[in-house]
Amino acid sequence: MSTASDDTFFHLDTALDAAGDAHIRITGDLDWDSADELTEAARALLCTDPAPRGLHLDCARLTLCDSLGLASLLMVRRATAAAGTRLHLVNQPAPLLRLLDMTGTADLFDGATGRGAEAPDASREAGTAPPPPPPPRT
């Protein structure tokens, strides 16, 4: 699977291994043009019977991840949870780690902070913080 345009190149390599894990190596920009491709590739791997034990997203060759790329990663996370498959982000470049940290989503991805994503806070999973208390009346 690949998408090529003027100055950008996007490619996914997918594989299932003998241990029951699925792997996707991401090359290029994960953005408006390519986010759906990642989501669909992950869903296709998760539809195998039996579902993979783990899905490893290798981000070593990821050159950019914008807001739609992040949305795709979050959709893949939801799909893996629904399939009972553990999601692992591996070889994350610094800009991806910074994006996950800035958006408060790092804890949702195993490997993104060195901590697992076993039981994230529900408010963080939804991408919202609890509302602040109302101001005191005067």
Side-chain angles (χ1 to χ4, degrees):
M1 297 180 183
S2 64
T3 302
S5 63
D6 298 332
D7 294 328
T8 61
F9 176 74
F10 182 76
H11 183 79
L12 298 175
D13 292 306
T14 61
L16 290 168
D17 66 24
D21 285 344
H23 301 267
I24 299 176
R25 183 173 57 193
I26 306 167
T27 301
D29 295 352
L30 184 58
D31 59 10
W32 171 266
D33 294 322
S34 58
D36 287 340
E37 193 171 335
L38 173 62
T39 305
E40 292 307 313
R43 286 182 178 149
L45 287 170
L46 294 170
C47 287
T48 59
D49 188 25
R53 293 179 314 133
L55 174 60
H56 303 264
L57 298 181
D58 184 346
C59 302
R61 296 180 181 188
L62 180 68
T63 53
L64 175 129
C65 183
D66 70 5
S67 60
L68 282 175
L70 177 59
S72 177
L73 292 173
L74 292 168
M75 285 188 275
V76 169
R77 183 182 181 280
R78 277 190 215 114
T80 56
T85 299
R86 187 172 173 119
L87 177 61
H88 306 274
L89 287 181
V90 295
N91 300 320
Q92 311 87 355
L96 177 60
L97 289 172
R98 194 168 36 256
L99 175 66
L100 296 175
D101 186 51
M102 286 178 14
T103 58
T105 57
D107 289 341
L108 300 177
F109 298 98
D110 183 31
T113 62
R115 295 179 289 178
E118 292 301 314
D121 179 287
S123 65
R124 292 193 62 172
E125 184 170 356
T128 60
R137 294 185 173 221
T138 55

